[in-house]
Amino acid sequence: MVKGRSRTARAKMPVAALAMLAIAAAGCSDGAGATPTITTTTRAGVAPMPPEKGAYFGAWVPPDGAGPTGSASPSPSGSPSDSPSGSPSESPSGSPSASPSGRPAPEPVRGFEQALGRQLDIVHSYRGWKSAFPSRDDSALLAAGDRYLLLTWAGADTKEIVSGEHDAVIRERARAVKATGKPIFLRWSRDMDAPGARDRVHGGKEFVAAWKHIRAIFKAERVDNVAWVWCPTATGFGSRNGPSYYPGDDQVDWICVDAQPGAGYDYRDLSEVVKVFMDWAGDRPKPIMVAEFGVPKAYGTRRAEWLRKAAETLQNPQVKAVVYFNSDEQAQEPRDDRRKYAVTGDQKAVSALRELATTPYFNPRNLPVTSGE
């Protein structure tokens, strides 16, 4: 939990860009208190804004056939892949199913929603540095109009970006995002602090310069429908210097973290994974997004317990979005259950995730809830 911050509050909505926001947060059930003050660079009603109360719930749901058991190890962060494992981000069949609004939505997403008993607030999508976006599935989600798209865009060499070598690519992506006319979360170069990213990121100073260069181009193209999500690894706030990659409060709209328990543990609660990050983020006036969290298949009968404890940890007044990583694609071989996070087929885990997703805190838009399938 954030240091010195109580769990529930009242809030006022933003009235202008760069205004101070008092974001209300329905928290755990132990009473009222102060809400953290949050700032944003986005325009209300144009780009995604934090919910007044609680946190959005979303998920990464791979297309049919993506990330099968025993797939190759995931591509390093920033590689030109369109999913965490390098699989294409479009469904092979391309056949949509209807969303609650009657508009098209990708079938795997609809199936996941039916199992949870509610529609997602956020649907995650991965695109490579040179991959055009939005993809077909992205466009289907945006057409539905009732889900936010979280677009994770891979990185490139930061020195090349600052030199202007990739300006044409950046400008093309900026125009494509603007053309959607829809609010989009943009998470560029996630896990920039990971050891595997050193050769292209080079360091915190270089990363910050590249981030500012990309934002400047988006600004020049008058792209107002993007919320910028900065997302290092949770371990970057312990053994590595994650904060050195932070571009600054005037450059970031959401502070994010990838928070999987890690394959080196037999069992590890989410609270342990995010503790150091949360301590740091508590001093920043930004909403928090947990963009990749998941319970390993290796936890067996304790998966439901892990998810219920995670629900308690995430009911924090500064946490405004959580996104489940429902995939096994990071498994390095068929028996690598410590990197398999899909709950599909595990009735008890699905039930516990459904409990989390349908808890009022994680349903801030009060979407209809069913018993699930």
Side-chain angles (χ1 to χ4, degrees):
M1 302 294 285
V2 178
K3 296 183 295 184
R5 301 255 171 104
S6 55
R7 299 179 177 178
T8 59
R10 299 172 60 189
K12 295 181 180 179
M13 292 301 291
V15 295
L18 293 172
M20 295 298 289
L21 300 178
I23 302 296
C28 305
S29 59
D30 59 9
T35 296
T37 300
I38 292 174
T39 63
T40 181
T41 72
T42 57
R43 290 175 56 192
V46 179
M49 300 295 292
E52 184 176 355
K53 294 183 179 181
Y56 297 128
F57 178 82
W60 159 241
V61 184
D64 292 339
T69 300
S71 63
S73 59
S75 302
S77 174
S79 64
S81 62
D82 290 345
S83 84
S85 65
S87 303
S89 66
E90 296 187 21
S91 170
S93 66
S95 58
S97 60
S99 73
S101 65
R103 297 176 180 176
E107 186 174 349
V109 170
R110 292 291 297 125
F112 185 75
E113 290 176 334
Q114 289 169 3
L116 284 185
R118 59 155 290 185
Q119 179 186 296
L120 297 171
D121 296 302
I122 298 172
V123 176
H124 203 162
S125 177
Y126 293 84
R127 303 303 289 166
W129 171 247
K130 294 185 177 181
S131 299
F133 54 69
S135 69
R136 182 177 56 200
D137 281 356
D138 297 341
S139 296
L141 286 162
L142 293 172
D146 44 17
R147 302 172 184 83
Y148 286 122
L149 176 66
L150 168 60
L151 184 57
T152 289
W153 184 19
D157 189 286
T158 57
K159 293 182 179 180
E160 293 177 358
I161 290 173
V162 173
S163 73
E165 182 175 336
H166 298 286
D167 282 4
V169 171
I170 300 166
R171 190 169 294 108
E172 182 179 351
R173 300 297 174 267
R175 291 173 178 173
V177 168
K178 181 179 180 179
T180 68
K182 302 289 185 179
I184 292 175
F185 292 102
L186 185 59
R187 190 174 73 133
W188 176 70
S189 193
R190 83 198 196 276
D191 300 353
M192 78 297 292
D193 61 306
R198 288 173 185 165
D199 289 344
R200 65 168 180 81
V201 174
H202 304 295
K205 180 180 179 181
E206 291 81 2
F207 177 82
V208 169
W211 178 284
K212 291 181 177 180
H213 187 86
I214 292 173
R215 278 214 61 170
I217 292 176
F218 271 66
K219 182 178 181 180
E221 293 294 331
R222 299 183 180 179
V223 183
D224 296 324
N225 57 321
V226 163
W228 293 85
V229 181
W230 176 75
C231 201
T233 64
T235 52
F237 293 82
S239 58
R240 298 192 295 273
N241 190 19
S244 69
Y245 296 85
Y246 188 60
D249 293 344
D250 63 333
Q251 292 285 321
V252 172
D253 298 311
W254 290 68
I255 292 176
C256 166
V257 69
D258 286 347
Q260 294 157 355
Y265 297 84
D266 291 331
Y267 183 91
R268 191 185 187 202
D269 284 333
L270 181 65
S271 60
E272 298 177 52
V273 181
V274 301
K275 183 183 185 304
V276 181
F277 163 78
M278 294 295 284
D279 287 345
W280 178 84
D283 293 328
R284 301 258 65 84
K286 298 294 174 181
I288 291 172
M289 174 185 292
V290 181
E292 293 181 14
F293 80 102
V295 58
K297 186 177 181 180
Y299 289 6
T301 58
R302 300 192 70 184
R303 297 184 90 188
E305 171 192 345
W306 189 95
L307 285 165
R308 292 185 178 109
K309 288 182 178 180
E312 296 177 2
T313 297
L314 295 170
Q315 289 185 60
N316 176 299
Q318 199 174 351
V319 174
K320 292 296 177 181
V322 299
V323 184
Y324 192 79
F325 192 82
N326 194 63
S327 175
D328 293 341
E329 62 197 283
Q330 291 188 356
Q332 297 181 0
E333 49 89 15
R335 294 176 295 180
D336 184 12
D337 288 348
R338 295 189 181 190
R339 294 181 178 87
K340 295 179 183 178
Y341 306 103
V343 295
T344 307
D346 185 334
Q347 185 176 354
K348 291 183 178 180
V350 170
S351 179
L353 186 60
R354 183 165 58 240
E355 287 177 23
L356 186 156
T358 57
T359 296
Y361 189 88
F362 301 109
N363 189 8
R365 299 188 295 163
N366 197 28
L367 297 173
V369 174
T370 69
S371 60
E373 295 182 0

